Amino acid sequence: MQTAANLERARAAQDVAQQELESARQRGSYLATELTAARSGVFIGDSYNDAPFSSQRVRELDLRLAELASEQEQIEARIAGFEKQIRAERLRLNKLTSAVLNARVAGMAWDFLVDDGEYARRGQDLVKLVDCRSLVVTASVTESLYDNLSIGTPVQFRLFGDERIFEGTVTRLGGSGASNLYANLAVGPSAEHLERFDVTVSVPELSNQPDLSCAIGRTGRVIFSNGPIATMRRFLTRYGV
């Protein structure tokens, strides 16, 4: 990321400035030693001593020390500037690590499409949300039963392990090979489901039940008015069995 690169460049520049400062300090220490020796009448040069030129050398060393002091101030100012830049980059980087997302629907997060620390492009999908207000039931039926169904056919639905029966209606007849119809649904079809004929059922009362308001992935039984179970139920009701 651009912010991380800027932070690394600032750190590298700070390291260079600190090295320059240390070198200047060492040079200043060496020149201070030469100055002390020159003031005592001894000129320290390349393996020889030259007392007659000590006064001139003292003036040179005083000038050099003043230059080094100025360089030190400049380097320290650069280090302070780099440290300020690093703090600013860290702050900006921290702000970019999180963001507030406003969802258009009231639901829950179902699938995260990016990992922590991954770079996301503009317009890229980040997370899939589930709208629990639009619960639907999908059923897999035989071809003979499918041929007797139509949009609006009344049905009854009961979850496995639950005695409550809910009224519903057929809202879509997907037929065979209906896998593409599940693109916007939280749960996709199983291989066994696609071997038969797909039917979508709307059961509005499910969303009104506190314990079933977002019962995604639950399974149950759909009873069609034209199906064999409903026919058997009508027969038993007719004869009081």
Side-chain angles (χ1 to χ4, degrees):
M1 296 178 61
Q2 186 65 27
T3 300
N6 292 340
L7 182 59
E8 290 301 324
R9 285 195 293 269
R11 287 176 176 171
Q14 182 188 20
D15 292 340
V16 172
Q18 289 176 337
Q19 293 176 4
E20 291 179 354
L21 176 60
E22 182 62 25
S23 178
R25 285 173 177 170
Q26 293 178 0
R27 180 61 177 167
S29 177
Y30 173 77
L31 292 177
T33 301
E34 287 192 23
L35 177 61
T36 301
R39 284 174 175 169
S40 63
V42 178
F43 170 63
I44 301 177
D46 296 334
S47 301
Y48 64 89
N49 296 334
D50 191 359
F53 296 97
S54 60
S55 299
Q56 180 181 355
R57 188 56 179 167
V58 167
R59 290 193 296 272
E60 293 177 356
L61 292 175
D62 286 336
L63 178 60
R64 184 55 182 159
L65 284 175
E67 292 176 352
L68 290 174
S70 178
E71 290 180 9
Q72 180 177 348
E73 292 179 358
Q74 294 177 4
I75 293 174
E76 289 176 348
R78 289 173 58 191
I79 291 177
F82 288 137
E83 290 177 346
K84 182 178 179 181
Q85 184 179 355
I86 288 174
R87 289 194 298 269
E89 287 295 329
R90 284 175 177 168
L91 179 61
R92 192 162 72 96
L93 181 61
N94 291 334
K95 289 182 178 180
L96 294 175
T97 56
S98 62
V100 177
L101 303 178
N102 297 319
R104 298 181 180 178
V105 297
M108 65 179 184
W110 182 253
D111 187 16
F112 293 94
L113 305 178
V114 293
D115 295 328
D116 186 21
E118 182 179 349
Y119 178 76
R121 301 182 304 275
R122 182 185 297 273
Q124 178 181 349
D125 293 335
L126 304 179
V127 61
K128 286 185 177 180
L129 303 178
V130 172
D131 184 1
C132 296
R133 298 173 300 177
S134 58
L135 283 176
V136 295
V137 176
T138 59
S140 178
V141 301
T142 61
E143 183 177 3
S144 58
L145 175 57
Y146 181 84
D147 291 338
N148 292 322
L149 299 177
S150 59
I151 303 298
T153 298
V155 301
Q156 291 181 324
F157 176 69
R158 180 175 66 85
L159 288 165
F160 290 135
D162 195 319
E163 297 300 325
R164 290 172 292 181
I165 297 178
F166 303 98
E167 302 294 330
T169 56
V170 175
T171 57
R172 183 174 64 190
L173 297 173
S176 60
S179 59
N180 60 326
L181 300 178
Y182 287 79
N184 294 324
L185 297 185
V187 179
S190 64
E192 293 79 6
H193 183 104
L194 295 177
E195 290 177 357
R196 309 216 302 176
F197 288 76
D198 180 84
V199 177
T200 302
V201 175
S202 174
V203 187
E205 279 301 313
L206 287 178
S207 299
N208 297 329
Q209 305 299 315
D211 58 329
L212 301 176
S213 59
C214 215
I216 300 171
R218 294 285 300 274
T219 57
R221 182 182 297 278
V222 178
I223 302 173
F224 297 92
S225 60
N226 296 332
I229 296 179
T231 301
M232 179 61 70
R233 178 174 293 179
R234 286 194 298 268
F235 174 81
L236 295 177
T237 303
R238 178 178 179 182
Y239 291 99
V241 180

